[in-house]
């Protein structure tokens, strides 16, 4: 590596819930680092995904969608978003076709006033036609004239190379922040709990998945099999019953789906045991939130 010609920096992805931030992150990294569902607030943490080539290290951050917090967990989620404002070399501001403005106007004002370069990604163009894309581009050019607008489809991977090319042009010169074989800052255990949480988001309705946290209690990597014990934390006794479900079948389904994804993720056989535990109102208890890895 020629250090003189090396570029590196932080590219922080922000935007409304559900616009496709995590989908893009995974496409960029080529790995499934962030969980994706059609539900808002799927992403709760700030997750780094790192793209390395000989002359570049691009450190992407996937963040929770911008919302007005109703409980402490959501306030903590917004702290991850705010932290993304502090160290960005480049912002990716993602919107979807037809969207008008951020859920939080003050974030948008900060974007307008920042001197940090912004790539405005117009996502989900696979659902639109050329005319709509043009109209949408014009709309955002007026609102945020300094941003470079790139229409993309994160889902189909359309425009992803263009994003990388643009970033490489404007990334600051500097030595890598992480070893060049690093993909993420998160330990394997984090992805195990996220994959399980994704299956909970997919299998349960209403408030229940939003009241769930997953803690990995044991992780034993034997030669041929990884043995994992995970605790599903809920906020109320009634939710425990819902998670376990009739004859334990719903929970079993979560276990089976998660195990299959984990086997792909680790390329190994997985033995997964799930337990359900009530930690009363953990979403508003700062002690619990800290324990689960949120900033207070
Ligand atoms: P996030 O909340 O911004 O991280 O959004 P996600 O990445 O979790 O995606 C939210 C939903 O939008 C999921 O159902 C995705 O499959 C879907 N989605 C993401 N990107 C695209 C896209 O380019 N086209 C279409 N049609 N759907 C997309
Ligand atoms: Mg997300």
């Amino acid at each position: 590596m020629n250090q003189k010609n090396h570029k590196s920096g932080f590219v922080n992805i922000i935007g409304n819930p559900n616009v496709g931030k995590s989908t893009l992150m995974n496409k960029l990294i080529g790995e499934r680092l962030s969980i994706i569902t059609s539900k808002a607030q799927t992403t709760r943490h700030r997750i780094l995904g790192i793209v390395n080539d000989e002359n570049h290290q691009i450190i992407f951050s996937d963040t929770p969608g911008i919302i007005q917090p109703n409980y402490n967990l959501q306030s903590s989620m917004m702290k991850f978003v705010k932290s993304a404002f502090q160290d960005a070399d480049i912002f990716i501001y993602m919107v979807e076709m037809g969207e008008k403005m951020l859920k939080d106007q003050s974030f948008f004002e900060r974007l307008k006033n920042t001197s940090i370069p912004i790539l405005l990604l117009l996502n989900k163009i696979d659902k639109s036609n050329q005319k709509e894309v043009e109209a949408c581009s014009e709309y955002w050019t007026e609102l945020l004239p300094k941003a470079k607008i790139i229409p993309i489809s994160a889902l189909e991977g359309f425009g992803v190379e263009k994003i990388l090319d643009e970033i490489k042009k404007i990334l600051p010169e500097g030595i890598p922040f992480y070893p060049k074989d690093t993909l993420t800052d998160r330990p394997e255990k984090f992805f195990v709990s996220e994959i399980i949480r994704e299956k909970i988001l997919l299998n349960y309705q209403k408030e229940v998945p939003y009241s769930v946290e997953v803690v990995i209690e044991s992780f034993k990597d034997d030669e041929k099999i990884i043995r994992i014990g995970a605790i599903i934390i809920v906020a109320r006794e009634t939710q425990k019953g819902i998670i376990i479900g009739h004859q334990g079948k719903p929970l079993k389904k979560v276990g089976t789906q998660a195990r299959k994804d984990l086997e792909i993720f680790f390329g190994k056989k997985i033995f997964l045991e799930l337990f359900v535990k009530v930690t009363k109102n953990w979403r508003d208890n700062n002690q619990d939130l800290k324990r689960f890895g949120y900033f207070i």
Side-chain angles (χ1 to χ4, degrees), residues 93-121:
Y93 175 41
M94 186 181 268
V95 299
E96 61 182 326
M97 289 297 304
E99 175 188 330
K100 311 269 183 230
M101 302 290 276
L102 274 178
K103 293 269 189 295
D104 183 329
Q105 183 67 26
S106 68
F107 273 104
F108 192 72
E109 290 304 317
R110 283 178 77 173
L111 266 187
K112 265 175 123 165
N113 296 323
T114 182
S115 56
I116 298 163
I118 303 169
L119 301 182
L120 192 151
L121 305 186

Side-chain angles (χ1 to χ4, degrees), residues 81-95:
V81 181
K82 284 181 189 141
S83 78
F85 266 89
Q86 278 149 19
D87 58 15
D89 293 300
I90 300 170
F91 280 118
I92 284 185
Y93 175 41
M94 186 181 268
V95 299

Side-chain angles (χ1 to χ4, degrees), residues 200 204 208-209 212 232 234 238-245 250-251 276:
I200 292 167
Y204 300 92
V208 174
V212 163
I232 298 170
V234 290
T238 47
Q239 292 167 342
K240 182 175 172 176
I242 295 170
I243 293 284
I244 294 169
L251 182 61
V276 187

Side-chain angles (χ1 to χ4, degrees), residues 18 20-23 34-36 41-44 62-65:
N18 241 6
K21 299 180 294 300
S22 297
T23 306
S34 282
I35 59 170
I36 297 166
Q41 299 177 54
T42 297
T43 308
R44 285 183 183 166
D62 186 16
T63 62

Side-chain angles (χ1 to χ4, degrees), residues 232-280:
I232 298 170
I233 311 264
V234 290
R236 274 188 304 220
E237 199 63 45
T238 47
Q239 292 167 342
K240 182 175 172 176
I242 295 170
I243 293 284
I244 294 169
H246 184 58
Q247 296 178 336
K249 278 183 191 150
L251 182 61
K252 215 171 186 172
K253 193 168 165 207
V254 166
T256 307
Q257 290 176 347
R259 179 177 52 76
K260 284 186 182 150
D261 279 16
L262 288 166
E263 286 181 340
I264 295 168
F265 188 82
F266 288 105
K268 235 179 181 180
K269 252 197 129 36
I270 303 282
F271 176 75
L272 176 64
E273 259 187 309
L274 297 176
F275 309 91
V276 187
K277 198 182 142 212
V278 183
T279 300
K280 245 184 154 220

Side-chain angles (χ1 to χ4, degrees), residues 15-17 40-41 64-70 74-75 77-78 81 103-104 107:
N16 276 341
Q41 299 177 54
I66 294 164
I67 48 165
Q68 298 284 0
N70 286 318
Q74 291 182 331
S75 308
M77 285 159 61
M78 288 310 99
V81 181
K103 293 269 189 295
D104 183 329
F107 273 104

